[in-house]
Amino acid sequence: MTDDVAAARAAAEEKSAFSHAPVAPDATAAYGDHPDQVIDFYAPRGQGGPGGPAPVVLVLHGGAWRAPYDRRHISPFADFLARRGFAVASAEYRRGGDDDSVAGRWPDTFDDVAAALDALPALVREHVPQAHPRRTVLTGHSAGGHLALWAAARHVLPAGSPWRADSSAALRGVVALAPIADLAVADKLDVCGGAVRQLLGGDEHFAERQPYADPALLLPTGIATTLVQGRTDLDVPQVVAESYADAAAKAGEMVGVTLLEDVGHFPLIDPAADACAVVVEEIAQLAW
């Protein structure tokens, strides 16, 4: 496939993923005082599993940790999950500045994801009473995949980290979609136009902050983890996921990697794409 053909296909995939109208949640709850510290809840619709209380899927959206990309673009995916029997929590978090020039905020982005995860069980009990808050799967796309892997690894953060948890969260597992899973590799590849280095505060802070933020350095987690990756992804290339899986293996942990042929970056969250159904099945295997 020529570069022009690959780029045209990637553009068509992105257009399809963003063509769906945002889906309003059934409820929205705050987990902090900042306007971005909110979680949208989608009640389970339909029967997707063996019955009983619905598992919870915590969704962390992507967008290179940049402000223009918020949870609205992943709301059709959240609704897609809810229609297959999951209770869905789609968390917002603070991202970069008001324009597209800066990725993430240190430490705010990490503060928010940690706080959202800690607040989730109580908020689920209040807003989705038919759900089982201790049967939770984390998922996230792209930058959100990084945050999902990171959130599941808080119990192995370096001592003294403000985000360190005393024990692993009550998670059934993590399904990371085209995740920016290895910050060092992604930085070398200039994934998302330097977003990784910006997330950690630039050149002067990258090395000192990486041990606190890079999922590939926070292994093993002891939590079932699957990466779903399109082989033709031009935004977050396959090698990033493979590097994380290799790091896990070296740490004595097996991480599943599901590679999808002829799939790029965005079909994983596009309800119109076959790849999205594969994602749902991967989540279901851990949730029920």
Side-chain angles (χ1 to χ4, degrees):
M1 183 186 299
T2 67
D3 290 346
D4 288 345
V5 171
R9 185 165 72 176
E13 290 175 339
E14 181 175 0
K15 182 178 180 180
S16 176
F18 282 84
S19 68
H20 308 285
V23 179
D26 296 303
T28 299
Y31 64 86
D33 296 330
H34 191 277
D36 284 336
Q37 293 174 323
V38 294
I39 300 175
D40 287 341
F41 289 98
Y42 297 80
R45 304 168 179 84
Q47 181 63 48
V56 178
V57 181
L58 175 60
V59 176
L60 295 166
H61 70 81
W65 310 284
R66 292 191 168 115
Y69 306 98
D70 62 19
R71 69 195 186 281
R72 286 177 296 179
H73 82 268
I74 210 167
S75 63
F77 173 71
D79 178 67
F80 187 77
L81 291 172
R83 291 181 183 279
R84 278 143 189 84
F86 298 102
V88 182
S90 181
E92 192 56 272
Y93 52 88
R94 283 173 286 182
R95 305 169 305 289
D98 293 334
D99 58 22
D100 199 18
S101 63
V102 179
R105 300 187 195 182
W106 184 280
D108 308 44
T109 300
F110 297 91
D111 287 346
D112 289 358
V113 172
L117 189 60
D118 290 345
L120 185 65
L123 293 177
V124 166
R125 285 190 287 269
E126 179 179 357
H127 296 282
V128 197
Q130 65 270 53
H132 194 318
R134 295 189 63 81
R135 188 179 291 166
T136 297
V137 173
L138 279 176
T139 193
H141 179 241
S142 195
H146 157 263
L147 293 172
L149 293 170
W150 176 85
R154 289 171 58 207
H155 59 293
V156 294
L157 281 167
S161 168
W163 308 301
R164 183 178 170 94
D166 292 336
S167 61
S168 61
L171 298 175
R172 295 297 294 263
V174 182
V175 179
L177 314 177
I180 304 178
D182 185 316
L183 296 189
V185 172
D187 181 57
K188 290 177 182 176
L189 295 173
D190 197 32
V191 165
C192 298
V196 169
R197 195 155 288 257
Q198 293 171 19
L199 173 69
L200 301 194
D203 294 346
E204 62 182 306
H205 296 296
F206 186 83
E208 69 180 86
R209 291 176 176 174
Q210 187 187 357
Y212 298 87
D214 191 341
L217 300 181
L218 301 173
L219 292 162
T221 66
I223 295 172
T225 300
T226 298
L227 313 184
V228 183
Q229 176 73 43
R231 285 190 180 275
T232 58
D233 193 328
L234 301 180
D235 295 274
V236 184
Q238 177 180 329
V239 66
V240 180
E242 290 177 333
S243 180
Y244 176 87
D246 289 345
K250 290 175 182 176
E253 188 162 77
M254 295 304 296
V255 167
V257 181
T258 299
L259 298 174
L260 303 181
E261 297 291 342
D262 299 322
V263 170
H265 193 61
F266 288 98
L268 303 178
I269 60 165
D270 182 357
D274 291 342
C276 202
V278 175
V279 168
V280 172
E281 180 57 31
E282 295 289 356
I283 292 172
Q285 287 183 24
L286 296 180
W288 271 290

Short mmCIF file of all heavy atoms in Angstrom, two decimals, residues 2-51:
data_model
loop_
_atom_site.label_atom_id
_atom_site.label_comp_id
_atom_site.label_asym_id
_atom_site.label_seq_id
_atom_site.Cartn_x
_atom_site.Cartn_y
_atom_site.Cartn_z
N THR A 2 0.60 2.17 -0.90
CA THR A 2 1.38 3.39 -0.96
C THR A 2 1.03 4.30 0.20
O THR A 2 -0.04 4.17 0.83
CB THR A 2 1.13 4.13 -2.27
OG1 THR A 2 -0.23 4.61 -2.29
CG2 THR A 2 1.36 3.22 -3.48
N ASP A 3 1.93 5.25 0.47
CA ASP A 3 1.68 6.19 1.56
C ASP A 3 0.41 6.99 1.32
O ASP A 3 -0.35 7.27 2.25
CB ASP A 3 2.87 7.13 1.71
CG ASP A 3 4.09 6.41 2.27
OD1 ASP A 3 3.95 5.29 2.77
OD2 ASP A 3 5.20 7.00 2.18
N ASP A 4 0.17 7.38 0.07
CA ASP A 4 -1.02 8.18 -0.25
C ASP A 4 -2.29 7.38 0.00
O ASP A 4 -3.28 7.90 0.54
CB ASP A 4 -0.97 8.65 -1.70
CG ASP A 4 0.06 9.74 -1.94
OD1 ASP A 4 0.53 10.32 -0.93
OD2 ASP A 4 0.41 10.00 -3.09
N VAL A 5 -2.28 6.11 -0.39
CA VAL A 5 -3.45 5.27 -0.18
C VAL A 5 -3.69 5.05 1.31
O VAL A 5 -4.83 5.12 1.79
CB VAL A 5 -3.29 3.93 -0.91
CG1 VAL A 5 -4.41 2.96 -0.52
CG2 VAL A 5 -3.28 4.14 -2.42
N ALA A 6 -2.62 4.81 2.05
CA ALA A 6 -2.75 4.60 3.50
C ALA A 6 -3.29 5.85 4.18
O ALA A 6 -4.16 5.76 5.07
CB ALA A 6 -1.39 4.22 4.09
N ALA A 7 -2.80 7.00 3.77
CA ALA A 7 -3.26 8.25 4.38
C ALA A 7 -4.72 8.51 4.04
O ALA A 7 -5.50 8.97 4.89
CB ALA A 7 -2.39 9.41 3.89
N ALA A 8 -5.12 8.20 2.80
CA ALA A 8 -6.51 8.40 2.41
C ALA A 8 -7.44 7.49 3.19
O ALA A 8 -8.53 7.90 3.63
CB ALA A 8 -6.67 8.16 0.91
N ARG A 9 -7.01 6.24 3.40
CA ARG A 9 -7.84 5.32 4.17
C ARG A 9 -7.93 5.77 5.63
O ARG A 9 -9.01 5.70 6.24
CB ARG A 9 -7.30 3.90 4.08
CG ARG A 9 -8.22 2.90 4.77
CD ARG A 9 -7.93 1.47 4.41
NE ARG A 9 -6.69 1.01 5.02
CZ ARG A 9 -6.26 -0.25 4.90
NH1 ARG A 9 -6.93 -1.12 4.16
NH2 ARG A 9 -5.15 -0.62 5.50
N ALA A 10 -6.82 6.22 6.19
CA ALA A 10 -6.85 6.70 7.57
C ALA A 10 -7.78 7.89 7.72
O ALA A 10 -8.53 8.00 8.71
CB ALA A 10 -5.44 7.07 8.03
N ALA A 11 -7.77 8.79 6.74
CA ALA A 11 -8.65 9.96 6.79
C ALA A 11 -10.11 9.54 6.71
O ALA A 11 -10.97 10.10 7.41
CB ALA A 11 -8.30 10.91 5.65
N ALA A 12 -10.42 8.53 5.88
CA ALA A 12 -11.79 8.04 5.78
C ALA A 12 -12.24 7.38 7.08
O ALA A 12 -13.39 7.55 7.51
CB ALA A 12 -11.90 7.05 4.62
N GLU A 13 -11.34 6.65 7.72
CA GLU A 13 -11.67 6.03 9.00
C GLU A 13 -11.96 7.08 10.07
O GLU A 13 -12.90 6.95 10.85
CB GLU A 13 -10.52 5.13 9.45
CG GLU A 13 -10.35 3.87 8.63
CD GLU A 13 -9.13 3.06 9.02
OE1 GLU A 13 -8.20 3.63 9.64
OE2 GLU A 13 -9.09 1.85 8.72
N GLU A 14 -11.14 8.11 10.11
CA GLU A 14 -11.37 9.18 11.08
C GLU A 14 -12.69 9.90 10.81
O GLU A 14 -13.45 10.19 11.74
CB GLU A 14 -10.20 10.18 11.03
CG GLU A 14 -10.35 11.31 12.04
CD GLU A 14 -9.14 12.22 12.08
OE1 GLU A 14 -8.17 11.98 11.33
OE2 GLU A 14 -9.15 13.18 12.88
N LYS A 15 -12.98 10.17 9.54
CA LYS A 15 -14.23 10.84 9.19
C LYS A 15 -15.43 10.02 9.64
O LYS A 15 -16.40 10.56 10.19
CB LYS A 15 -14.28 11.08 7.69
CG LYS A 15 -15.53 11.82 7.22
CD LYS A 15 -15.50 12.07 5.72
CE LYS A 15 -16.76 12.81 5.26
NZ LYS A 15 -16.74 13.05 3.80
N SER A 16 -15.36 8.70 9.44
CA SER A 16 -16.46 7.84 9.86
C SER A 16 -16.65 7.86 11.38
O SER A 16 -17.77 7.99 11.88
CB SER A 16 -16.21 6.41 9.38
OG SER A 16 -17.22 5.53 9.85
N ALA A 17 -15.54 7.77 12.10
CA ALA A 17 -15.63 7.74 13.57
C ALA A 17 -16.23 9.02 14.13
O ALA A 17 -16.95 9.00 15.14
CB ALA A 17 -14.26 7.48 14.16
N PHE A 18 -15.93 10.14 13.48
CA PHE A 18 -16.42 11.43 13.97
C PHE A 18 -17.74 11.85 13.33
O PHE A 18 -18.21 12.96 13.56
CB PHE A 18 -15.36 12.51 13.75
CG PHE A 18 -14.23 12.49 14.76
CD1 PHE A 18 -13.15 11.64 14.59
CD2 PHE A 18 -14.27 13.30 15.88
CE1 PHE A 18 -12.12 11.61 15.53
CE2 PHE A 18 -13.26 13.28 16.82
CZ PHE A 18 -12.18 12.43 16.65
N SER A 19 -18.32 10.97 12.52
CA SER A 19 -19.56 11.32 11.83
C SER A 19 -20.79 11.11 12.70
O SER A 19 -21.87 11.60 12.38
CB SER A 19 -19.70 10.49 10.55
OG SER A 19 -19.92 9.10 10.85
N HIS A 20 -20.65 10.39 13.80
CA HIS A 20 -21.79 10.08 14.66
C HIS A 20 -22.10 11.26 15.57
O HIS A 20 -21.21 11.88 16.13
CB HIS A 20 -21.50 8.84 15.50
CG HIS A 20 -21.03 7.66 14.70
ND1 HIS A 20 -21.87 6.90 13.93
CD2 HIS A 20 -19.79 7.13 14.53
CE1 HIS A 20 -21.18 5.94 13.33
NE2 HIS A 20 -19.92 6.06 13.68
N ALA A 21 -23.37 11.53 15.73
CA ALA A 21 -23.77 12.59 16.65
C ALA A 21 -23.46 12.19 18.08
O ALA A 21 -23.58 11.01 18.44
CB ALA A 21 -25.26 12.86 16.50
N PRO A 22 -23.04 13.15 18.91
CA PRO A 22 -22.82 12.83 20.32
C PRO A 22 -24.08 12.25 20.96
O PRO A 22 -25.20 12.64 20.61
CB PRO A 22 -22.44 14.18 20.95
CG PRO A 22 -21.93 14.99 19.80
CD PRO A 22 -22.73 14.56 18.61
N VAL A 23 -23.90 11.33 21.88
CA VAL A 23 -25.03 10.69 22.56
C VAL A 23 -25.07 11.18 24.00
O VAL A 23 -24.08 11.05 24.74
CB VAL A 23 -24.90 9.15 22.54
CG1 VAL A 23 -26.07 8.51 23.27
CG2 VAL A 23 -24.82 8.65 21.10
N ALA A 24 -26.18 11.77 24.38
CA ALA A 24 -26.32 12.31 25.74
C ALA A 24 -26.33 11.18 26.75
O ALA A 24 -26.94 10.12 26.53
CB ALA A 24 -27.59 13.13 25.86
N PRO A 25 -25.67 11.36 27.89
CA PRO A 25 -25.67 10.32 28.93
C PRO A 25 -26.99 10.30 29.68
O PRO A 25 -27.81 11.22 29.59
CB PRO A 25 -24.53 10.76 29.84
CG PRO A 25 -24.52 12.26 29.72
CD PRO A 25 -24.87 12.54 28.28
N ASP A 26 -27.18 9.23 30.46
CA ASP A 26 -28.35 9.14 31.32
C ASP A 26 -28.17 9.97 32.59
O ASP A 26 -29.16 10.40 33.20
CB ASP A 26 -28.60 7.68 31.68
CG ASP A 26 -28.95 6.85 30.46
OD1 ASP A 26 -29.92 7.20 29.76
OD2 ASP A 26 -28.24 5.87 30.18
N ALA A 27 -26.93 10.17 32.98
CA ALA A 27 -26.64 10.98 34.17
C ALA A 27 -25.20 11.46 34.08
O ALA A 27 -24.37 10.84 33.42
CB ALA A 27 -26.84 10.17 35.45
N THR A 28 -24.93 12.58 34.73
CA THR A 28 -23.57 13.10 34.83
C THR A 28 -23.32 13.47 36.28
O THR A 28 -24.17 14.07 36.94
CB THR A 28 -23.36 14.34 33.94
OG1 THR A 28 -23.59 13.98 32.57
CG2 THR A 28 -21.94 14.89 34.07
N ALA A 29 -22.15 13.07 36.79
CA ALA A 29 -21.82 13.34 38.19
C ALA A 29 -20.42 13.91 38.28
O ALA A 29 -19.53 13.55 37.50
CB ALA A 29 -21.92 12.06 39.02
N ALA A 30 -20.22 14.79 39.24
CA ALA A 30 -18.90 15.39 39.47
C ALA A 30 -18.08 14.53 40.41
O ALA A 30 -18.61 13.95 41.36
CB ALA A 30 -19.06 16.79 40.05
N TYR A 31 -16.78 14.45 40.14
CA TYR A 31 -15.87 13.81 41.09
C TYR A 31 -14.88 14.81 41.66
O TYR A 31 -13.96 14.46 42.38
CB TYR A 31 -15.13 12.63 40.44
CG TYR A 31 -14.22 12.98 39.29
CD1 TYR A 31 -12.89 13.38 39.52
CD2 TYR A 31 -14.65 12.90 37.97
CE1 TYR A 31 -12.05 13.69 38.46
CE2 TYR A 31 -13.81 13.20 36.91
CZ TYR A 31 -12.51 13.60 37.16
OH TYR A 31 -11.68 13.91 36.12
N GLY A 32 -15.10 16.10 41.36
CA GLY A 32 -14.26 17.18 41.86
C GLY A 32 -14.91 18.51 41.55
O GLY A 32 -16.04 18.56 41.04
N ASP A 33 -14.21 19.59 41.84
CA ASP A 33 -14.78 20.93 41.69
C ASP A 33 -14.55 21.55 40.32
O ASP A 33 -15.24 22.49 39.94
CB ASP A 33 -14.20 21.86 42.76
CG ASP A 33 -14.59 21.44 44.17
OD1 ASP A 33 -15.70 20.86 44.32
OD2 ASP A 33 -13.81 21.68 45.11
N HIS A 34 -13.56 21.07 39.57
CA HIS A 34 -13.27 21.65 38.26
C HIS A 34 -14.33 21.20 37.25
O HIS A 34 -14.84 20.08 37.33
CB HIS A 34 -11.88 21.21 37.79
CG HIS A 34 -11.38 21.95 36.60
ND1 HIS A 34 -11.73 21.61 35.32
CD2 HIS A 34 -10.56 23.03 36.49
CE1 HIS A 34 -11.16 22.44 34.46
NE2 HIS A 34 -10.45 23.31 35.14
N PRO A 35 -14.69 22.07 36.29
CA PRO A 35 -15.72 21.69 35.30
C PRO A 35 -15.40 20.42 34.52
O PRO A 35 -16.32 19.74 34.06
CB PRO A 35 -15.77 22.91 34.38
CG PRO A 35 -15.31 24.06 35.21
CD PRO A 35 -14.28 23.49 36.14
N ASP A 36 -14.12 20.11 34.37
CA ASP A 36 -13.74 18.89 33.65
C ASP A 36 -13.75 17.65 34.53
O ASP A 36 -13.55 16.54 34.02
CB ASP A 36 -12.35 19.04 33.03
CG ASP A 36 -12.36 19.90 31.78
OD1 ASP A 36 -13.42 20.00 31.13
OD2 ASP A 36 -11.31 20.49 31.46
N GLN A 37 -13.99 17.79 35.80
CA GLN A 37 -13.97 16.64 36.71
C GLN A 37 -15.38 16.05 36.83
O GLN A 37 -16.04 16.15 37.85
CB GLN A 37 -13.41 17.05 38.07
CG GLN A 37 -11.93 17.42 38.00
CD GLN A 37 -11.40 17.96 39.31
OE1 GLN A 37 -12.08 18.68 40.05
NE2 GLN A 37 -10.16 17.62 39.62
N VAL A 38 -15.81 15.43 35.73
CA VAL A 38 -17.15 14.85 35.67
C VAL A 38 -17.08 13.49 34.99
O VAL A 38 -16.16 13.20 34.22
CB VAL A 38 -18.15 15.75 34.92
CG1 VAL A 38 -18.40 17.05 35.69
CG2 VAL A 38 -17.68 16.04 33.50
N ILE A 39 -18.09 12.68 35.27
CA ILE A 39 -18.24 11.37 34.64
C ILE A 39 -19.65 11.27 34.08
O ILE A 39 -20.63 11.55 34.80
CB ILE A 39 -18.00 10.22 35.64
CG1 ILE A 39 -16.59 10.29 36.22
CG2 ILE A 39 -18.22 8.87 34.96
CD1 ILE A 39 -16.32 9.25 37.29
N ASP A 40 -19.77 10.90 32.81
CA ASP A 40 -21.06 10.61 32.20
C ASP A 40 -21.38 9.14 32.39
O ASP A 40 -20.52 8.27 32.20
CB ASP A 40 -21.03 10.91 30.70
CG ASP A 40 -21.02 12.40 30.38
OD1 ASP A 40 -21.38 13.20 31.26
OD2 ASP A 40 -20.66 12.74 29.23
N PHE A 41 -22.63 8.86 32.74
CA PHE A 41 -23.05 7.47 32.95
C PHE A 41 -24.11 7.08 31.92
O PHE A 41 -25.04 7.83 31.65
CB PHE A 41 -23.63 7.29 34.36
CG PHE A 41 -22.58 7.37 35.44
CD1 PHE A 41 -22.36 8.53 36.15
CD2 PHE A 41 -21.79 6.25 35.73
CE1 PHE A 41 -21.39 8.61 37.13
CE2 PHE A 41 -20.82 6.32 36.71
CZ PHE A 41 -20.61 7.50 37.41
N TYR A 42 -23.92 5.89 31.36
CA TYR A 42 -24.86 5.31 30.41
C TYR A 42 -25.36 4.00 31.01
O TYR A 42 -24.57 3.09 31.27
CB TYR A 42 -24.18 5.05 29.06
CG TYR A 42 -23.70 6.30 28.37
CD1 TYR A 42 -22.50 6.90 28.75
CD2 TYR A 42 -24.45 6.90 27.36
CE1 TYR A 42 -22.05 8.06 28.13
CE2 TYR A 42 -24.00 8.06 26.73
CZ TYR A 42 -22.81 8.63 27.13
OH TYR A 42 -22.36 9.79 26.52
N ALA A 43 -26.65 3.92 31.26
CA ALA A 43 -27.22 2.72 31.86
C ALA A 43 -27.22 1.58 30.85
O ALA A 43 -27.33 1.81 29.64
CB ALA A 43 -28.65 3.00 32.33
N PRO A 44 -27.07 0.35 31.33
CA PRO A 44 -27.05 -0.79 30.41
C PRO A 44 -28.39 -0.95 29.71
O PRO A 44 -29.45 -0.82 30.31
CB PRO A 44 -26.74 -1.98 31.32
CG PRO A 44 -27.15 -1.53 32.69
CD PRO A 44 -26.91 -0.05 32.73
N ARG A 45 -28.30 -1.22 28.41
CA ARG A 45 -29.49 -1.47 27.60
C ARG A 45 -29.28 -2.81 26.89
O ARG A 45 -28.26 -3.02 26.27
CB ARG A 45 -29.68 -0.38 26.55
CG ARG A 45 -29.74 1.03 27.13
CD ARG A 45 -29.65 2.04 26.01
NE ARG A 45 -29.71 3.42 26.48
CZ ARG A 45 -28.68 4.12 26.94
NH1 ARG A 45 -27.49 3.56 26.99
NH2 ARG A 45 -28.82 5.36 27.33
N GLY A 46 -30.25 -3.67 26.95
CA GLY A 46 -30.11 -4.96 26.29
C GLY A 46 -29.34 -5.93 27.16
O GLY A 46 -28.86 -5.60 28.25
N GLN A 47 -29.22 -7.14 26.65
CA GLN A 47 -28.58 -8.21 27.41
C GLN A 47 -27.28 -8.60 26.73
O GLN A 47 -27.30 -9.12 25.62
CB GLN A 47 -29.52 -9.42 27.50
CG GLN A 47 -28.96 -10.57 28.30
CD GLN A 47 -28.72 -10.20 29.75
OE1 GLN A 47 -29.59 -9.63 30.40
NE2 GLN A 47 -27.55 -10.49 30.25
N GLY A 48 -26.17 -8.34 27.37
CA GLY A 48 -24.91 -8.67 26.74
C GLY A 48 -24.17 -9.80 27.41
O GLY A 48 -23.15 -10.24 26.92
N GLY A 49 -24.65 -10.27 28.55
CA GLY A 49 -23.93 -11.31 29.28
C GLY A 49 -24.87 -12.31 29.91
O GLY A 49 -26.03 -12.43 29.53
N PRO A 50 -24.40 -13.02 30.93
CA PRO A 50 -25.19 -14.10 31.53
C PRO A 50 -26.25 -13.62 32.51
O PRO A 50 -26.90 -14.44 33.15
CB PRO A 50 -24.11 -14.93 32.24
CG PRO A 50 -23.04 -13.95 32.59
CD PRO A 50 -23.02 -12.97 31.45
N GLY A 51 -26.45 -12.35 32.65
CA GLY A 51 -27.45 -11.86 33.58
C GLY A 51 -26.83 -11.37 34.88
O GLY A 51 -25.61 -11.43 35.07
#
